[in-house]
Amino acid sequence: MSTQTQPPPPAPGEAAVVGKLSTLDRFLPVWIVAAMLLGLALGNLVPGLDTALEAVKVGEVSLPIAIGLLVMMYPVLAKVRYDQAGRIIGDRKLLVSSLVINWLLAPAFMFVLAWLFLADLPEYRSGLIIVGLARCIAMVMIWNDLACGDREAAAVLVAINSIFQVLAFGALGWFYLQLLPSWLGLPATSADFAFGAITASVLIFLGIPLLAGFLTRTVGEKAKGRDWYESVFLPKIGPWALYGLLFTITLLFALQGGSITSKPLDVARIALPLLVYFVVVFAAGMLVGKRLGLGYAKTTTLAFTAAGNNFELAIAVAIGTFGVTSGQALAGVVGPLIEVPALVALVYAALWVRRRYFASAPGAR
């Protein structure tokens, strides 16, 4: 093959995408599967484990699981540069398109997918809708960085999503789980669902770590400076988000083991609409960004912040509202197993799109 027909060399940052991850991040799907298997084993081998986990609660969530959920959320929210909101808020194209996709189109699309794929499984359907409402504030930072997106834009959009979730998640949960189905003549979620329960879960499992993250960055930067905070402190606490995720998954699978082993096809049915969701929403974000002329970096950030979901919050809300052994909680638990390999694949897709469609465009990098 002549040199004129050979593909261009990989752009900076494109090679060895997975190699940029730490060992923990690189093999996260393996650790998630291991945590699931460990949870299943514990559930079968340790008598009375479910009773012990339910002995002490925070709201409706067992204390050990509540600790795991809070540990998941705090390191991610401590990474956000809260003082950068002004620059991104000034970019109206990026901000408006992000808000529209994240809070109007993506939840509506997940609602449609849930009813198309899980119409006969109401608990899983409700769990999937909750996943669609939980906009990504966690691992999106990793995927965005690997795909050479705009790191500051991602941080600000994550912060905005965090605030919107505290303010709007409860109302949207009520709308998509009760009001909209009743308008369409579809069965609404049972009366056990409560607007107050979802709002309380969001305030506890997002509000507390959000406040802690904001205070940590504010105090840390004032005391030691931003360089120390981001180069020394954040790398030390960063892995705890994944430790918390794996700990929580282990406990959830210890409680969900019977449902998982007895209904593997149900788990597969939960996975399918999630895959469709990731691909379609990511592609829509890339198309919108390209159409608006945002440039590759911001377009990629728009796509990843739209496609990713905050499974930590979805799990917390599902547990707090419906219980640890509910189908809604299982739908949230399946999420990370599907999201990680799907979004790693989309990192490669984004880098291919950069070479194919953004190489000579303003804002490409």
Side-chain angles (χ1 to χ4, degrees):
M1 182 181 291
S2 69
T3 54
Q4 289 157 331
T5 59
Q6 291 175 352
E14 183 168 344
V17 169
V18 176
K20 293 182 180 180
L21 292 167
S22 68
T23 300
L24 182 64
D25 293 332
R26 190 183 312 158
F27 297 104
L28 184 58
V30 176
W31 308 141
I32 289 176
V33 171
M36 291 175 175
L37 294 176
L38 177 59
L40 293 175
L42 289 174
N44 289 323
L45 299 175
V46 180
L49 179 61
D50 54 346
T51 302
L53 290 176
E54 291 292 321
V56 182
K57 293 186 175 183
V58 175
E60 295 299 319
V61 182
S62 74
L63 181 59
I65 293 177
I67 292 172
L69 293 169
L70 291 172
V71 169
M72 276 193 293
M73 303 295 288
Y74 166 68
V76 175
L77 291 168
K79 293 179 180 180
V80 176
R81 289 183 174 180
Y82 296 93
D83 61 348
Q84 296 293 314
R87 179 175 69 85
I88 302 304
I89 291 174
D91 188 337
R92 293 187 178 181
K93 288 183 179 180
L94 176 62
L95 181 62
V96 171
S97 58
S98 177
L99 291 175
V100 169
I101 294 175
N102 271 286
W103 295 100
L104 293 178
L105 301 182
F109 183 53
M110 187 69 91
F111 176 85
V112 172
L113 290 175
W115 276 98
L116 286 176
F117 286 90
L118 300 169
D120 58 328
L121 297 170
E123 288 193 0
Y124 301 149
R125 184 181 68 231
S126 298
L128 205 65
I129 291 171
I130 290 173
V131 168
L133 298 178
R135 311 314 305 152
C136 193
I137 64 170
M139 292 191 72
V140 66
M141 302 295 291
I142 297 173
W143 315 131
N144 180 74
D145 198 49
L146 290 174
C148 303
D150 187 318
R151 187 176 298 168
E152 296 306 319
V156 173
L157 293 181
V158 160
I160 292 172
N161 277 344
S162 301
I163 294 168
F164 262 76
Q165 284 187 98
V166 172
L167 298 177
F169 192 101
L172 289 173
W174 167 74
F175 177 77
Y176 279 106
L177 292 174
Q178 290 192 326
L179 186 60
L180 183 57
S182 66
W183 284 352
L184 298 175
L186 301 170
T189 300
S190 69
D192 291 337
F193 166 79
F195 172 86
I198 279 193
T199 302
S201 293
V202 174
L203 289 175
I204 292 172
F205 296 108
L206 180 58
I208 290 175
L210 177 62
L211 178 61
F214 172 77
L215 292 176
T216 301
R217 177 172 279 277
T218 302
V219 174
E221 287 190 356
K222 185 175 293 186
K224 295 280 192 175
R226 175 162 288 184
D227 288 343
W228 174 88
Y229 184 83
E230 295 190 344
S231 63
V232 177
F233 180 73
L234 288 183
K236 289 182 178 179
I237 68 169
W240 284 94
L242 298 183
Y243 298 153
L245 174 63
L246 297 175
F247 175 77
T248 304
I249 287 176
T250 299
L251 295 184
L252 289 173
F253 270 72
L255 295 170
Q256 291 275 10
S259 298
I260 295 167
T261 56
S262 63
K263 301 175 182 178
L265 292 180
D266 289 355
V267 174
R269 288 185 61 183
I270 295 170
L272 184 56
L274 284 171
L275 285 172
V276 174
Y277 173 88
F278 291 136
V279 173
V280 172
V281 175
F282 179 84
M286 295 295 286
L287 288 172
V288 168
K290 175 68 173 175
R291 186 76 173 178
L292 293 176
L294 295 179
Y296 172 79
K298 288 184 178 179
T299 294
T300 298
T301 299
L302 175 66
F304 275 107
T305 53
N309 287 85
N310 184 358
F311 287 102
E312 299 91 337
L313 178 61
I315 292 169
V317 169
I319 292 172
T321 306
F322 300 99
V324 293
T325 59
S326 64
Q328 290 86 347
L330 178 60
V333 171
V334 172
L337 181 65
I338 305 304
E339 181 183 40
V340 172
L343 292 191
V344 167
L346 290 176
V347 168
Y348 284 101
L351 293 169
W352 178 85
V353 167
R354 178 179 64 173
R355 296 176 62 199
R356 183 72 172 82
Y357 297 104
F358 287 89
S360 59
R365 68 177 196 179

